[in-house]
Amino acid sequence: MGSQWSNDKAYRQAKKSGYRSRAALKLQEILRKNPVIRQDDNILDLGAAPGSWLQVLREMTDGVLVGVDINPINPIPGVTTLTGDFSDPVVIARIRELMPEVNGIVCDASPKLSGTRSYDQARAIDLNQQALRVARTLLKRGGNLIMKSFQGEDFSWLYNQVKKDFYSVRTYKAQTTRKGSTEMYIIAKNFIGYEPDPEENLSDGSA
């Protein structure tokens, strides 16, 4: 990875600061512009590997931090990590045991990109739907959500789904996003609580 990104200024800056990836700088920027994490918040990080967002979060809150990823995450002092699918009920149950309440959820997860934009965006939206389900299940009323997505055909649908559950929702494109990327963050504040709509089908972005 070092040879691939050695000419990337953000990557070099992140490594110099002791972070595991350039994504740490994105989260720092997002939180400067959108201060949604309080000093005592318990935060759940979905798709957390390699752990750079957890490193930033540990600097910002004294609350409980839990990171989940299908890939193992090297230990971070003061952070609990789980290896597994964050949509798995067994993983959800374990999170409940570890966290008395969840004040915030962050998700920087993205699928392995194929290079076919429409296909990659559809897979990213599917991950977003899974993350939103977790938020609806675990997030405390009044809690906040930061979630990475990608602009495309189904992005507006996803955005409107999030708006149903939070009082304030906006999008944010990080300055460190690579040129040409459709990457976009959804910043959702003040979770209302979720009541299932019998006519809603969250698994179908075309609905």
Side-chain angles (χ1 to χ4, degrees):
M1 182 175 178
S3 60
Q4 182 181 7
W5 303 119
S6 59
N7 292 324
D8 185 308
K9 182 179 178 181
Y11 171 76
R12 295 197 309 271
Q13 182 180 341
K15 298 299 285 186
K16 184 178 180 180
S17 299
Y19 297 118
R20 297 180 179 181
S21 78
R22 70 197 301 279
L25 304 186
K26 289 183 184 178
L27 182 58
Q28 288 177 330
E29 177 191 339
I30 289 167
L31 292 176
R32 281 196 303 270
K33 302 290 187 179
N34 307 273
V36 296
I37 292 178
R38 297 168 289 262
Q39 190 173 356
D40 60 348
D41 277 352
N42 300 329
I43 306 295
L44 174 62
D45 186 348
L46 305 176
S52 58
W53 275 31
L54 290 169
Q55 290 177 293
V56 172
L57 292 166
R58 184 71 291 167
E59 296 168 354
M60 301 195 68
T61 176
D62 299 322
V64 177
L65 280 184
V66 175
V68 185
D69 201 284
I70 57 173
N71 298 307
I73 302 169
N74 288 334
I76 299 171
V79 176
T80 300
T81 59
L82 302 175
T83 303
D85 183 338
F86 60 70
S87 65
D88 186 333
V90 174
V91 173
I92 296 292
R94 181 60 178 144
I95 293 169
R96 288 187 187 276
E97 293 174 359
L98 292 167
M99 307 185 78
E101 62 182 22
V102 180
N103 307 107
I105 293 178
V106 299
C107 181
D108 196 41
S110 63
K112 291 185 178 179
L113 302 180
S114 68
T116 303
R117 181 165 291 188
S118 59
Y119 175 70
D120 290 338
Q121 200 252 353
R123 293 175 65 217
I125 292 292
D126 182 63
L127 267 178
N128 295 147
Q129 292 173 44
Q130 294 177 40
L132 185 56
R133 289 191 189 99
V134 173
R136 288 172 168 176
T137 301
L138 296 177
L139 194 59
K140 180 183 178 182
R141 288 178 184 267
N144 302 315
L145 170 70
I146 298 174
M147 180 168 63
K148 179 169 72 178
S149 189
F150 294 87
Q151 291 175 296
E153 183 178 352
D154 294 328
F155 183 82
S156 294
W157 173 85
L158 174 70
Y159 183 82
N160 287 329
Q161 290 295 318
V162 178
K163 284 181 68 176
K164 293 179 181 179
D165 300 326
F166 293 84
Y167 281 108
S168 173
V169 182
R170 63 168 298 195
T171 59
Y172 185 81
K173 191 174 185 70
Q175 294 178 1
T176 47
T177 299
R178 294 190 181 91
K179 186 177 180 180
S181 173
T182 62
E183 181 182 275
M184 182 68 71
Y185 287 89
I186 294 176
I187 316 294
K189 301 179 184 180
N190 202 349
F191 181 55
I192 298 169
Y194 175 64
E195 294 294 336
D197 182 344
E199 297 184 0
E200 175 185 347
N201 183 3
L202 188 57
S203 66
D204 183 4
S206 63

